[in-house]
Amino acid sequence: MNDTSVTLVNTGLPLAIIGGLAALLPWLLTPRGTRSHGRVLVSVVLSVLLLLAASAGVFALFDKRSLLGGQTLAGHGVIAWMYVRSSLGAAAVWGPVLAFVWLGLAQRVERLKGEDVVRGRP
């Protein structure tokens, strides 16, 4: 991540991984037959927290610098904060993806509720 040039490996691949996680995590965390928008919201919020951590991890994984050489504990905190800041910036990529997945999950809840009404279940 510290290269001066933007390439597929140092920028495109990490963002593709993070975007894929943003599309996959909410679907995995939401129970398939839920009819509750509150449960969908909990899954999306949990996805946001996991995406922040995963983004920081992906950026750390793709960083070519040696992070262990000669660093004090305070230095590791600064480096960790750098990755957290990077993961907040990556929200520009996974945020819209997560918003569309949330919309899809909300539509599924409404579809299931509508099917229940048609079948005569309260």
Side-chain angles (χ1 to χ4, degrees):
M1 297 296 302
N2 58 342
D3 292 342
T4 56
S5 62
V6 173
T7 65
L8 182 63
V9 174
N10 74 358
T11 304
L13 187 57
L15 292 178
I17 291 170
I18 294 166
L21 282 173
L24 186 63
L25 274 175
W27 287 100
L28 291 176
L29 295 174
T30 305
R32 193 163 181 84
T34 188
R35 286 153 175 80
S36 168
H37 287 288
R39 181 62 183 107
V40 171
L41 178 63
V42 167
S43 298
V44 169
V45 169
L46 186 58
S47 295
V48 167
L49 297 174
L50 290 172
L51 282 166
L52 287 173
S55 297
V58 167
F59 287 134
L61 181 68
F62 282 89
D63 196 352
K64 293 181 180 178
R65 293 173 282 194
S66 172
L67 300 179
L68 301 175
Q71 291 290 327
T72 63
L73 187 58
H76 286 299
V78 170
I79 291 170
W81 177 243
M82 176 190 70
Y83 290 132
V84 169
R85 278 195 336 249
S86 296
S87 71
L88 289 171
V93 170
W94 58 258
V97 173
L98 187 63
F100 282 118
V101 171
W102 188 358
L103 178 63
L105 289 169
Q107 287 177 337
R108 182 175 72 177
V109 166
E110 289 302 317
R111 180 180 50 82
L112 290 172
K113 285 181 176 181
E115 289 174 1
D116 287 347
V117 168
V118 169
R119 291 184 186 135
R121 289 186 234 157

